[in-house]
Amino acid sequence: MLSRNAVSTCRHRSRACLHAPSRSLASVASSSSSAASSEPSTSKAVLHAAVILNRSPIITRTPTLFERAYYAYQSRIRRALFNPFPTDFYFKTGSLLEKKFAREEKVREREAFGGPWTVKRQGPESEDEVGTSTADQAESMGEEPMDPPAPRIHESDRTGDVKSLDRMSERNLYLLVRGKDHLGNEVWRFPQGGLHEGEHLHQAALRDLTAECGENMDTWIVGKKPIAVHQAPLSESVKKSLGGAELYTFFLKAHILAGQARPNGTNVTDFAWLTKEEIEPRVDQAYWASVKDILSDF
């Protein structure tokens, strides 16, 4: 009988002990949350929107030695395994189309297996095999010679013109401008500016790009969300002038579709279309650390 009373007493006490701390914790949590909500926010920030304006590659990248060797090997395999083309079925014997196909087939054979492309000429030199060019053969067949492909190196690459959009055709280029920063110093940076009241980041980025680089460009802002942010290192005097606020620059990605930059000469005095490697020595190291991972290596 005594043991049963002791067990029931312990059960009642354990229930009371379980309920008591839960009420006390709830009261502490409610009081702490109310105290946290009553504290005023003292953090301040000045926001800027910048544009990473990109010119995509114009031509395909030059293949490496390994890629060229691989493509040549695959071409030889295809040429060795495919069935001969039935020229008698598709072309009339002795027609111009048959001769043109035979000439192009010789070129493909040469590209696949190597070796000189030679033909025999009629006359006293018939015993000697001499090479003929594509233009000579096209002229002999009554066809107009094809223009050679344009060179992969533009004139601006030879002259070092960094303002040309035709330079470095295989690489991604980015618009960098020389203008004033938050301290009034002339620095190389991306086009940027402040935000107006109630303005979104992508709206401010497009407006600042037009204000600094002119209206002669057809551009496209890729998205409304920034792809990177840079917190400018400020001295105590600069922070006091900003009212103790921090300065943040948000970067948005954009592409140029047509036109060219035309700076106004007031806020921006110069511009250049540069690759990732060319941007690094021109900008501040803290600025470079914030943007290097969003620039293409190719």
Short mmCIF file of all heavy atoms in Angstrom, two decimals, residues 205-255:
data_model
loop_
_atom_site.label_atom_id
_atom_site.label_comp_id
_atom_site.label_asym_id
_atom_site.label_seq_id
_atom_site.Cartn_x
_atom_site.Cartn_y
_atom_site.Cartn_z
N ALA A 205 20.27 50.19 -63.57
CA ALA A 205 21.43 49.77 -64.36
C ALA A 205 21.30 50.22 -65.81
O ALA A 205 22.26 50.74 -66.40
CB ALA A 205 21.59 48.26 -64.27
N LEU A 206 20.13 50.05 -66.40
CA LEU A 206 19.92 50.46 -67.79
C LEU A 206 19.97 51.98 -67.93
O LEU A 206 20.54 52.50 -68.90
CB LEU A 206 18.57 49.93 -68.28
CG LEU A 206 18.24 50.17 -69.75
CD1 LEU A 206 19.29 49.55 -70.66
CD2 LEU A 206 16.86 49.62 -70.09
N ARG A 207 19.43 52.69 -66.97
CA ARG A 207 19.45 54.15 -67.02
C ARG A 207 20.88 54.68 -66.89
O ARG A 207 21.30 55.58 -67.63
CB ARG A 207 18.56 54.72 -65.92
CG ARG A 207 18.59 56.25 -65.81
CD ARG A 207 17.72 56.73 -64.67
NE ARG A 207 18.05 56.08 -63.41
CZ ARG A 207 19.09 56.43 -62.64
NH1 ARG A 207 19.91 57.42 -63.02
NH2 ARG A 207 19.32 55.80 -61.50
N ASP A 208 21.65 54.11 -65.95
CA ASP A 208 23.03 54.56 -65.76
C ASP A 208 23.91 54.21 -66.95
O ASP A 208 24.82 54.96 -67.30
CB ASP A 208 23.60 53.94 -64.48
CG ASP A 208 22.87 54.42 -63.23
OD1 ASP A 208 22.43 55.59 -63.23
OD2 ASP A 208 22.73 53.63 -62.28
N LEU A 209 23.66 53.07 -67.59
CA LEU A 209 24.42 52.69 -68.78
C LEU A 209 24.18 53.68 -69.91
O LEU A 209 25.12 54.10 -70.60
CB LEU A 209 24.03 51.28 -69.21
CG LEU A 209 24.69 50.76 -70.49
CD1 LEU A 209 26.19 50.64 -70.31
CD2 LEU A 209 24.10 49.40 -70.89
N THR A 210 22.94 54.08 -70.09
CA THR A 210 22.63 55.06 -71.13
C THR A 210 23.21 56.42 -70.80
O THR A 210 23.71 57.13 -71.68
CB THR A 210 21.10 55.16 -71.30
OG1 THR A 210 20.57 53.86 -71.59
CG2 THR A 210 20.75 56.11 -72.42
N ALA A 211 23.19 56.80 -69.51
CA ALA A 211 23.69 58.11 -69.11
C ALA A 211 25.21 58.21 -69.29
O ALA A 211 25.72 59.27 -69.66
CB ALA A 211 23.30 58.39 -67.66
N GLU A 212 25.93 57.12 -69.05
CA GLU A 212 27.38 57.18 -69.11
C GLU A 212 27.95 56.82 -70.48
O GLU A 212 29.03 57.31 -70.85
CB GLU A 212 27.99 56.26 -68.05
CG GLU A 212 27.77 56.73 -66.63
CD GLU A 212 28.64 55.99 -65.64
OE1 GLU A 212 29.13 54.89 -65.96
OE2 GLU A 212 28.85 56.52 -64.52
N CYS A 213 27.26 55.97 -71.23
CA CYS A 213 27.82 55.46 -72.50
C CYS A 213 27.00 55.86 -73.72
O CYS A 213 27.32 55.40 -74.82
CB CYS A 213 27.94 53.94 -72.44
SG CYS A 213 29.01 53.36 -71.10
N GLY A 214 25.98 56.66 -73.57
CA GLY A 214 25.23 57.15 -74.70
C GLY A 214 24.07 56.25 -75.09
O GLY A 214 23.88 55.16 -74.55
N GLU A 215 23.31 56.72 -76.09
CA GLU A 215 22.12 56.02 -76.55
C GLU A 215 22.36 55.28 -77.86
O GLU A 215 21.39 54.87 -78.51
CB GLU A 215 20.96 57.02 -76.73
CG GLU A 215 20.58 57.75 -75.44
CD GLU A 215 19.46 58.74 -75.66
OE1 GLU A 215 19.09 58.96 -76.84
OE2 GLU A 215 18.95 59.30 -74.67
N ASN A 216 23.61 55.12 -78.27
CA ASN A 216 23.91 54.50 -79.56
C ASN A 216 24.10 52.99 -79.46
O ASN A 216 24.63 52.38 -80.39
CB ASN A 216 25.17 55.13 -80.17
CG ASN A 216 24.99 56.61 -80.45
OD1 ASN A 216 23.93 57.02 -80.90
ND2 ASN A 216 26.01 57.39 -80.19
N MET A 217 23.71 52.39 -78.35
CA MET A 217 23.85 50.95 -78.18
C MET A 217 22.49 50.30 -77.98
O MET A 217 21.64 50.84 -77.28
CB MET A 217 24.74 50.64 -76.96
CG MET A 217 26.20 50.96 -77.16
SD MET A 217 27.23 50.29 -75.81
CE MET A 217 26.54 51.15 -74.41
N ASP A 218 22.33 49.15 -78.62
CA ASP A 218 21.15 48.31 -78.40
C ASP A 218 21.57 47.20 -77.44
O ASP A 218 22.31 46.29 -77.83
CB ASP A 218 20.65 47.75 -79.72
CG ASP A 218 19.35 46.96 -79.55
OD1 ASP A 218 18.77 47.00 -78.45
OD2 ASP A 218 18.93 46.30 -80.52
N THR A 219 21.12 47.27 -76.20
CA THR A 219 21.56 46.33 -75.17
C THR A 219 20.37 45.58 -74.60
O THR A 219 19.21 45.98 -74.76
CB THR A 219 22.28 47.08 -74.04
OG1 THR A 219 21.40 48.07 -73.47
CG2 THR A 219 23.54 47.75 -74.55
N TRP A 220 20.70 44.50 -73.90
CA TRP A 220 19.68 43.65 -73.29
C TRP A 220 20.14 43.23 -71.91
O TRP A 220 21.17 42.59 -71.77
CB TRP A 220 19.41 42.42 -74.16
CG TRP A 220 18.56 41.38 -73.51
CD1 TRP A 220 17.34 41.55 -72.94
CD2 TRP A 220 18.87 39.98 -73.37
NE1 TRP A 220 16.86 40.36 -72.45
CE2 TRP A 220 17.78 39.37 -72.70
CE3 TRP A 220 19.95 39.19 -73.74
CZ2 TRP A 220 17.76 38.02 -72.39
CZ3 TRP A 220 19.93 37.84 -73.44
CH2 TRP A 220 18.84 37.26 -72.77
N ILE A 221 19.38 43.63 -70.89
CA ILE A 221 19.65 43.21 -69.51
C ILE A 221 19.13 41.79 -69.35
O ILE A 221 17.94 41.52 -69.54
CB ILE A 221 18.97 44.16 -68.50
CG1 ILE A 221 19.47 45.59 -68.68
CG2 ILE A 221 19.25 43.68 -67.08
CD1 ILE A 221 20.92 45.81 -68.32
N VAL A 222 20.01 40.86 -68.99
CA VAL A 222 19.66 39.45 -68.98
C VAL A 222 18.59 39.14 -67.93
O VAL A 222 17.61 38.45 -68.20
CB VAL A 222 20.91 38.59 -68.75
CG1 VAL A 222 20.55 37.11 -68.63
CG2 VAL A 222 21.90 38.79 -69.89
N GLY A 223 18.77 39.64 -66.72
CA GLY A 223 17.82 39.34 -65.64
C GLY A 223 17.67 40.52 -64.70
O GLY A 223 18.43 41.49 -64.75
N LYS A 224 16.69 40.40 -63.83
CA LYS A 224 16.41 41.47 -62.86
C LYS A 224 17.18 41.29 -61.56
O LYS A 224 17.13 42.16 -60.70
CB LYS A 224 14.92 41.52 -62.57
CG LYS A 224 14.06 41.84 -63.79
CD LYS A 224 12.59 41.90 -63.43
CE LYS A 224 11.74 42.22 -64.65
NZ LYS A 224 10.29 42.31 -64.31
N LYS A 225 17.86 40.16 -61.41
CA LYS A 225 18.59 39.89 -60.18
C LYS A 225 20.08 40.07 -60.40
O LYS A 225 20.60 39.70 -61.45
CB LYS A 225 18.30 38.48 -59.68
CG LYS A 225 16.85 38.26 -59.30
CD LYS A 225 16.62 36.85 -58.77
CE LYS A 225 15.17 36.64 -58.37
NZ LYS A 225 14.93 35.27 -57.85
N PRO A 226 20.80 40.63 -59.45
CA PRO A 226 22.24 40.83 -59.61
C PRO A 226 22.99 39.51 -59.56
O PRO A 226 22.54 38.53 -58.96
CB PRO A 226 22.61 41.74 -58.43
CG PRO A 226 21.55 41.47 -57.41
CD PRO A 226 20.30 41.16 -58.16
N ILE A 227 24.17 39.49 -60.18
CA ILE A 227 25.01 38.30 -60.19
C ILE A 227 26.21 38.44 -59.27
O ILE A 227 26.93 37.45 -59.05
CB ILE A 227 25.49 38.00 -61.62
CG1 ILE A 227 26.26 39.19 -62.20
CG2 ILE A 227 24.31 37.63 -62.51
CD1 ILE A 227 26.84 38.93 -63.57
N ALA A 228 26.46 39.62 -58.73
CA ALA A 228 27.58 39.83 -57.80
C ALA A 228 27.34 41.14 -57.06
O ALA A 228 26.53 41.98 -57.47
CB ALA A 228 28.92 39.85 -58.53
N VAL A 229 28.07 41.31 -55.96
CA VAL A 229 27.99 42.53 -55.16
C VAL A 229 29.38 42.89 -54.66
O VAL A 229 30.20 42.01 -54.39
CB VAL A 229 27.01 42.35 -53.98
CG1 VAL A 229 27.47 41.25 -53.04
CG2 VAL A 229 26.83 43.67 -53.22
N HIS A 230 29.64 44.18 -54.60
CA HIS A 230 30.93 44.68 -54.14
C HIS A 230 30.69 45.69 -53.03
O HIS A 230 29.93 46.64 -53.20
CB HIS A 230 31.71 45.33 -55.28
CG HIS A 230 32.92 46.09 -54.84
ND1 HIS A 230 34.00 45.49 -54.22
CD2 HIS A 230 33.22 47.42 -54.91
CE1 HIS A 230 34.92 46.39 -53.95
NE2 HIS A 230 34.47 47.57 -54.35
N GLN A 231 31.34 45.46 -51.90
CA GLN A 231 31.28 46.41 -50.79
C GLN A 231 32.56 47.22 -50.79
O GLN A 231 33.65 46.69 -50.57
CB GLN A 231 31.12 45.69 -49.44
CG GLN A 231 31.00 46.65 -48.26
CD GLN A 231 30.80 45.91 -46.94
OE1 GLN A 231 30.75 44.68 -46.91
NE2 GLN A 231 30.67 46.65 -45.86
N ALA A 232 32.44 48.49 -51.08
CA ALA A 232 33.61 49.35 -51.20
C ALA A 232 34.24 49.60 -49.83
O ALA A 232 33.53 49.91 -48.87
CB ALA A 232 33.22 50.68 -51.84
N PRO A 233 35.56 49.44 -49.72
CA PRO A 233 36.23 49.76 -48.44
C PRO A 233 36.26 51.27 -48.23
O PRO A 233 36.86 52.02 -49.01
CB PRO A 233 37.63 49.18 -48.63
CG PRO A 233 37.84 49.14 -50.11
CD PRO A 233 36.50 48.92 -50.73
N LEU A 234 35.62 51.74 -47.16
CA LEU A 234 35.50 53.16 -46.89
C LEU A 234 36.28 53.54 -45.64
O LEU A 234 36.32 52.78 -44.67
CB LEU A 234 34.02 53.55 -46.70
CG LEU A 234 33.07 53.19 -47.85
CD1 LEU A 234 31.64 53.57 -47.47
CD2 LEU A 234 33.48 53.87 -49.13
N SER A 235 36.89 54.70 -45.67
CA SER A 235 37.57 55.23 -44.48
C SER A 235 36.54 55.85 -43.55
O SER A 235 35.38 56.03 -43.90
CB SER A 235 38.62 56.27 -44.91
OG SER A 235 38.00 57.35 -45.59
N GLU A 236 36.98 56.18 -42.35
CA GLU A 236 36.07 56.74 -41.36
C GLU A 236 35.53 58.10 -41.81
O GLU A 236 34.36 58.42 -41.58
CB GLU A 236 36.77 56.88 -40.01
CG GLU A 236 37.13 55.56 -39.36
CD GLU A 236 35.91 54.72 -39.06
OE1 GLU A 236 34.84 55.31 -38.80
OE2 GLU A 236 36.01 53.48 -39.09
N SER A 237 36.37 58.90 -42.47
CA SER A 237 35.91 60.20 -42.94
C SER A 237 34.85 60.08 -44.01
O SER A 237 33.86 60.82 -44.04
CB SER A 237 37.10 61.01 -43.47
OG SER A 237 37.72 60.32 -44.54
N VAL A 238 35.03 59.09 -44.91
CA VAL A 238 34.03 58.88 -45.96
C VAL A 238 32.73 58.35 -45.37
O VAL A 238 31.64 58.74 -45.78
CB VAL A 238 34.58 57.91 -47.03
CG1 VAL A 238 33.52 57.61 -48.08
CG2 VAL A 238 35.82 58.48 -47.68
N LYS A 239 32.84 57.47 -44.37
CA LYS A 239 31.63 56.96 -43.73
C LYS A 239 30.85 58.08 -43.04
O LYS A 239 29.62 58.11 -43.06
CB LYS A 239 32.00 55.88 -42.71
CG LYS A 239 32.37 54.55 -43.32
CD LYS A 239 32.59 53.50 -42.24
CE LYS A 239 32.92 52.16 -42.85
NZ LYS A 239 33.12 51.11 -41.82
N LYS A 240 31.58 59.00 -42.42
CA LYS A 240 30.90 60.13 -41.78
C LYS A 240 30.18 60.99 -42.81
O LYS A 240 29.09 61.50 -42.56
CB LYS A 240 31.91 60.95 -41.00
CG LYS A 240 32.43 60.27 -39.74
CD LYS A 240 33.39 61.17 -38.99
CE LYS A 240 33.91 60.47 -37.72
NZ LYS A 240 34.88 61.33 -36.98
N SER A 241 30.82 61.18 -43.98
CA SER A 241 30.17 61.98 -45.02
C SER A 241 28.93 61.30 -45.57
O SER A 241 28.00 61.96 -46.05
CB SER A 241 31.16 62.24 -46.16
OG SER A 241 31.54 61.03 -46.78
N LEU A 242 28.90 59.97 -45.50
CA LEU A 242 27.72 59.21 -45.92
C LEU A 242 26.75 58.95 -44.79
O LEU A 242 25.80 58.18 -44.97
CB LEU A 242 28.15 57.88 -46.55
CG LEU A 242 28.98 57.95 -47.83
CD1 LEU A 242 29.41 56.55 -48.26
CD2 LEU A 242 28.21 58.64 -48.95
N GLY A 243 26.99 59.54 -43.66
CA GLY A 243 26.10 59.33 -42.53
C GLY A 243 26.27 57.98 -41.87
O GLY A 243 25.31 57.44 -41.33
N GLY A 244 27.48 57.44 -41.94
CA GLY A 244 27.75 56.13 -41.35
C GLY A 244 27.27 54.96 -42.17
O GLY A 244 27.21 53.84 -41.66
N ALA A 245 26.90 55.18 -43.42
CA ALA A 245 26.35 54.11 -44.27
C ALA A 245 27.47 53.39 -45.01
O ALA A 245 28.55 53.94 -45.25
CB ALA A 245 25.36 54.69 -45.26
N GLU A 246 27.20 52.15 -45.39
CA GLU A 246 28.10 51.36 -46.22
C GLU A 246 27.68 51.51 -47.69
O GLU A 246 26.53 51.76 -48.00
CB GLU A 246 28.05 49.89 -45.82
CG GLU A 246 28.51 49.62 -44.40
CD GLU A 246 30.02 49.77 -44.23
OE1 GLU A 246 30.72 49.83 -45.26
OE2 GLU A 246 30.48 49.83 -43.09
N LEU A 247 28.67 51.35 -48.58
CA LEU A 247 28.42 51.50 -50.01
C LEU A 247 28.47 50.13 -50.69
O LEU A 247 29.49 49.45 -50.63
CB LEU A 247 29.46 52.44 -50.65
CG LEU A 247 29.34 52.68 -52.16
CD1 LEU A 247 27.99 53.29 -52.50
CD2 LEU A 247 30.47 53.56 -52.65
N TYR A 248 27.37 49.74 -51.32
CA TYR A 248 27.27 48.45 -52.00
C TYR A 248 26.98 48.69 -53.48
O TYR A 248 26.11 49.51 -53.82
CB TYR A 248 26.16 47.58 -51.40
CG TYR A 248 26.42 47.16 -49.97
CD1 TYR A 248 25.92 47.92 -48.90
CD2 TYR A 248 27.16 46.02 -49.69
CE1 TYR A 248 26.15 47.53 -47.59
CE2 TYR A 248 27.38 45.62 -48.38
CZ TYR A 248 26.89 46.38 -47.34
OH TYR A 248 27.13 45.99 -46.04
N THR A 249 27.70 47.95 -54.34
CA THR A 249 27.49 48.01 -55.78
C THR A 249 27.04 46.64 -56.26
O THR A 249 27.76 45.65 -56.09
CB THR A 249 28.77 48.42 -56.52
OG1 THR A 249 29.22 49.69 -56.04
CG2 THR A 249 28.52 48.52 -58.02
N PHE A 250 25.85 46.57 -56.85
CA PHE A 250 25.29 45.33 -57.37
C PHE A 250 25.51 45.28 -58.88
O PHE A 250 25.23 46.26 -59.59
CB PHE A 250 23.80 45.23 -57.05
CG PHE A 250 23.51 45.06 -55.58
CD1 PHE A 250 23.29 46.16 -54.76
CD2 PHE A 250 23.46 43.80 -55.02
CE1 PHE A 250 23.04 46.00 -53.42
CE2 PHE A 250 23.19 43.63 -53.67
CZ PHE A 250 22.99 44.73 -52.86
N PHE A 251 25.99 44.13 -59.38
CA PHE A 251 26.32 43.96 -60.79
C PHE A 251 25.24 43.14 -61.48
O PHE A 251 24.84 42.08 -60.98
CB PHE A 251 27.68 43.27 -60.95
CG PHE A 251 28.82 44.04 -60.36
CD1 PHE A 251 29.24 43.81 -59.06
CD2 PHE A 251 29.48 45.02 -61.10
CE1 PHE A 251 30.28 44.52 -58.50
CE2 PHE A 251 30.52 45.73 -60.56
CZ PHE A 251 30.93 45.49 -59.25
N LEU A 252 24.79 43.61 -62.65
CA LEU A 252 23.80 42.92 -63.46
C LEU A 252 24.40 42.61 -64.83
O LEU A 252 25.14 43.42 -65.39
CB LEU A 252 22.53 43.74 -63.62
CG LEU A 252 21.65 43.86 -62.35
CD1 LEU A 252 22.03 45.10 -61.56
CD2 LEU A 252 20.17 43.89 -62.71
N LYS A 253 24.07 41.44 -65.36
CA LYS A 253 24.61 40.99 -66.65
C LYS A 253 23.79 41.55 -67.80
O LYS A 253 22.56 41.60 -67.74
CB LYS A 253 24.60 39.45 -66.69
CG LYS A 253 25.19 38.85 -67.94
CD LYS A 253 26.70 39.00 -67.95
CE LYS A 253 27.32 38.28 -69.14
NZ LYS A 253 27.20 36.81 -69.01
N ALA A 254 24.49 41.97 -68.87
CA ALA A 254 23.84 42.51 -70.06
C ALA A 254 24.65 42.13 -71.29
O ALA A 254 25.85 41.84 -71.20
CB ALA A 254 23.66 44.02 -69.97
N HIS A 255 23.99 42.14 -72.46
CA HIS A 255 24.64 41.86 -73.74
C HIS A 255 24.42 43.05 -74.68
O HIS A 255 23.37 43.68 -74.66
CB HIS A 255 24.06 40.60 -74.39
CG HIS A 255 24.48 39.34 -73.72
ND1 HIS A 255 25.72 38.77 -73.89
CD2 HIS A 255 23.83 38.52 -72.86
CE1 HIS A 255 25.82 37.66 -73.18
NE2 HIS A 255 24.67 37.49 -72.54
#
